[in-house]
Amino acid sequence: MTLQRTFSIIKPDAVKKGATGDILHMLQHAGFNIIGMKMLEITKQQAEGFYAVHASRPFFNSLTTFMSSGPIVVLALEKENAIADLRKLMGATDPAKADSGTIRKKHAASIEANAIHGSDAEETAKFELNYFFAGYELAG
Ligand code: ATP
Ligand code: MG
């Protein structure tokens, strides 16, 4: 197996409640190598660009308002099978349906304010990493 990269966001709800450290710990404990990390606040327009694939969904306006409501932590992660393994560690989108031991089970408040984002495929990981990181910012 070769190393794979994925992209993650610790969402505003999790940053606000002080869960950043615990989520970073859970990621590292699961074997993810953090190769890029920064805290920033994005505009509604930047959130719309990031979530463009969801533009026609009924929750798009609410989601992009939420994602621009406070600081987030963006992460570039590396690991074997990183994309699928991160999705598994995150748990279901709706925390009520998330398995125990997952990040969302522990930290998500609702289906929208669900603590963490993770890329869902190789192409989206590439787009999302490039959206937030320049090549020189990644530790490789
Ligand atoms: P993410 O893309 O953030 O990793 P996901 O892949 O589990 O999450 P998506 O279906 O891609 O879920 O939805 C993107 C995000 O939109 C969700 O994480 C959540 O914040 C929000 N969302 C999804 N479904 C709903 C909904 N029914 N109502 C409100 N917000 C929703
Ligand atoms: Mg998704």
Side-chain angles (χ1 to χ4, degrees):
M1 255 310 246
T2 53
L3 288 177
Q4 188 179 51
R5 288 180 177 186
T6 191
F7 174 77
S8 183
I9 300 178
I10 303 176
K11 294 185 179 184
D13 59 312
V15 173
K16 215 165 281 173
K17 74 172 204 176
T20 300
D22 188 57
I23 291 172
L24 292 175
H25 178 75
M26 289 175 83
L27 290 168
Q28 289 184 308
H29 186 74
F32 289 91
N33 204 10
I34 300 170
I35 60 167
M37 172 163 69
K38 50 192 175 184
M39 179 179 275
L40 66 159
E41 240 179 291
I42 57 173
T43 64
K44 169 120 169 136
Q45 202 174 12
Q46 288 168 326
E48 286 167 357
F50 179 75
Y51 276 119
V53 291
H54 293 311
S56 61
R57 302 273 208 102
F59 55 80
F60 183 67
N61 183 50
S62 172
L63 172 63
T64 52
T65 296
F66 162 64
M67 289 300 289
S68 56
S69 68
I72 59 175
V73 175
V74 295
L75 300 166
L77 302 172
E78 196 169 65
K79 181 188 182 301
E80 286 180 3
N81 206 31
I83 294 171
D85 285 0
L86 177 61
R87 301 282 300 179
K88 204 186 282 175
L89 180 62
M90 284 162 47
T93 309
D94 179 355
K97 296 181 182 141
D99 289 337
S100 62
T102 63
I103 291 171
R104 282 171 169 164
K105 179 72 177 188
K106 189 169 181 190
H107 290 297
S110 70
I111 194 167
E112 178 175 272
N114 60 3
I116 186 164
H117 163 84
S119 307
D120 59 11
E122 230 170 292
E123 279 311 298
T124 43
K126 214 168 280 175
F127 168 80
E128 293 174 357
L129 284 166
N130 286 328
Y131 197 84
F132 281 106
F133 289 103
Y136 68 84
E137 292 180 295
L138 303 182

